[in-house]
Each structure stands twice: as C-alpha cells, then as structure tokens.
C-alpha cells in the first residue's frame, strides 16, 4: 500500500537557525510530491511541488527551498528561519494524500 | 486558474442532526473534487473524491458529496453527526488535465453540541 511519512512531528527552532523537514513515500514510483504550509486558522498554501528527481517548482517566493534527491524523498529547507516561517507544514503525494504534518514554531 | 469557496467559516450542529457543508468552485471544465477532514494538530484525511462518473460520491465515516455541475458545487453531507465529527473540513479542486495542483478552500470548522 502507498504510505507517506513526515518528520519530525513538532519542532521548535530559534530565529536564524537552519531547517530541514523530510518527507518520504512508499509503495509508489515517480509520485508528484508537494509541500504545503497551513497558518493558524487558515487554509493550505502550496509552497513547492515536484514531478520528478531534481525538478522543483516554487509557488511562493520566500525564505524556504525544496529538494528532491531521490524519487520518493522530498525535503523542505531553510538556511535562516524567520518568525514568519512558523506554521504547520504538510507533505503530500499525488496531490491528495497527506502526511501527518510538522508543527514548526520559530522563537 | 481554479478557485474554491467554502462560504461557512463555522457550522454548529447538534449530535444526531444532519449536516451539509457547502463548497463552490470555479473552473472552466469538469474538475477533480475532494473533501478532507483535519482534527487539531493532525494532517488532512481524505474523506472522498470525485473524478468522473456517478455524481453522488460515497466516502469514509458515513460522508457523501454530490457534484452539481450546473451549480458548480460539491457539498458534503452526513445524515447523522457524531461528536467525533467535530473538526475542520476542507474542500479542494484540481484541474482534470495537465499539472495536478489542487487548490483548497479556507475550511469550515464543525462544532458538535451534545
């Protein structure tokens, strides 16, 4: 069966520190992968999506970047976190199956 | 580009009552349509989806939704709500061809009174 794993579940990071969130998918090949951010009380904002290894499309210019080093691995990164990067980050594959999310608090 | 409107920010119902959550979309052709549920601090769980065929779609947890092309709507229904249904509900629309990028509504918060 197809499953998606996302970690960590929660993260508290100081302003200016780096970030790396990882998402992996099992049971499927060449999936479309997505990173979303959900601010408190709001809907989902698409940040990045990828249709293959090394292929990243950015929807919103910001302090974050994404990489896809392997077919079923999608990483969200930042070199220096801002307070405004706080939120709930969700990975998805094939557009409609989501991971359990990472709650990021930047302090 | 597609768009989704969930007109109700909050909905309050009594346990055992029926439920209908509204979703309207804007898209030039027949889209793919989805409903998700999100409990606090959790990811999104897919309740049901519509790609084509029968316009009445059955989902998990006793939910169903009906695609009405003439009204550009995809409303979610449940005949009898349980207290455990209290959560945030999101409608989403994706283009039926080309790059598959869904657009989400702002969500409807369901409150269930005992």
């Amino acid at each position: 069966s197809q499953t998606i794993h996302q970690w960590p579940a929660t993260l508290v990071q100081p302003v200016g520190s780096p970030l790396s969130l990882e998402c992996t998918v099992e049971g499927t090949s060449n999936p479309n992968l997505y990173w979303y951010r959900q601010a408190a009380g709001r809907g989902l904002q698409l940040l990045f999506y990828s249709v293959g290894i090394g292929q990243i499309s950015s929807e919103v210019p910001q302090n974050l970047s994404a990489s896809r080093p392997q077919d079923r691995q999608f990483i969200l990164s930042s070199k220096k976190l801002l307070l405004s990067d706080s939120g709930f980050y969700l990975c998805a594959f094939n557009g409609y199956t989501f991971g359990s999310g990472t709650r990021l608090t930047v302090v | 580009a597609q768009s989704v409107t969930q007109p109700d920010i909050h909905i309050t119902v009594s346990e055992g009552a029926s439920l209908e959550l509204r979703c309207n979309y804007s898209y030039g052709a027949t889209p793919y349509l989805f409903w998700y549920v999100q409990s606090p601090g959790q990811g999104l769980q897919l309740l049901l989806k519509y790609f084509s065929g029968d316009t009445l779609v059955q989902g998990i947890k006793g939910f169903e939704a009906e695609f009405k092309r003439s009204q550009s709507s995809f409303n979610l229904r449940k005949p009898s709500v349980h207290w455990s249904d209290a959560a945030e509900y999101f409608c989403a629309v994706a283009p039926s061809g080309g790059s598959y990028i869904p657009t989400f509504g702002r969500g409807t918060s369901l409150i269930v009174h005992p």
Side-chain angles (χ1 to χ4, degrees), chain B:
Chain B
Q2 68 268 23
S3 66
V4 180
T5 301
Q6 293 181 248
D8 304 305
I9 297 175
H10 302 283
I11 290 280
T12 301
V13 299
S14 298
E15 190 169 16
S18 63
L19 171 70
E20 182 170 32
L21 301 182
R22 296 184 291 165
C23 173
N24 294 98
Y25 69 89
S26 174
Y27 182 64
T30 300
Y32 295 155
L33 295 160
F34 309 85
W35 274 102
Y36 294 86
V37 61
Q38 184 181 35
S39 297
Q42 302 298 312
L44 272 69
Q45 182 181 23
L46 181 66
L47 288 174
L48 47 80
K49 60 184 184 289
Y50 172 80
F51 285 171
S52 65
D54 192 347
T55 56
L56 185 61
V57 182
Q58 300 299 319
I60 62 171
K61 304 186 178 187
F63 285 94
E64 67 177 26
E66 186 171 12
F67 169 54
K68 293 186 177 180
R69 186 193 309 274
S70 61
Q71 299 178 20
S72 297
S73 70
F74 189 57
N75 294 348
L76 182 71
R77 301 193 294 250
K78 187 170 185 178
S80 179
V81 171
H82 188 264
W83 64 266
S84 60
D85 292 323
E88 192 83 14
Y89 290 80
F90 292 94
C91 181
V93 59
S96 52
S99 181
Y100 182 79
I101 301 176
T103 299
F104 286 80
R106 294 287 294 267
T108 297
S109 178
L110 175 63
I111 301 166
V112 181
H113 282 314

Side-chain angles (χ1 to χ4, degrees), chain A residues 34 36 38 49 88 94-96, chain B residues 36 38 42-43 90 100-102:
Chain A
Y34 307 76
Y36 289 87
Q38 185 178 30
Y49 72 95
F88 192 48
N94 291 340
Y96 56 85
Chain B
Y36 294 86
Q38 184 181 35
Q42 302 298 312
F90 292 94
Y100 182 79
I101 301 176

Side-chain angles (χ1 to χ4, degrees), chain A residues 15-93:
Chain A
V15 169
S17 64
L19 173 73
S20 181
L21 303 181
E22 188 163 344
C23 171
T24 60
V25 179
E26 296 177 357
T28 184
S29 297
N30 196 30
N32 289 350
L33 297 172
Y34 307 76
W35 278 112
Y36 289 87
R37 178 169 59 198
Q38 185 178 30
R42 302 184 64 179
L44 275 74
Q45 178 187 36
L46 179 64
L47 302 176
F48 302 95
Y49 72 95
S50 171
V51 299
I53 295 174
Q55 300 179 62
I56 309 294
S57 297
S58 174
E59 292 295 302
V60 182
Q62 55 202 317
N63 187 41
L64 302 170
S65 62
S67 62
R68 185 168 177 175
Q70 300 179 42
D71 181 45
R72 289 171 287 180
Q73 183 184 31
F74 203 25
I75 298 172
L76 183 69
S77 303
S78 174
K79 292 182 179 178
K80 290 185 178 181
L81 284 169
L82 306 172
L83 288 174
S84 57
D85 291 324
S86 293
F88 192 48
Y89 289 83
L90 290 155
C91 181
F93 77 94

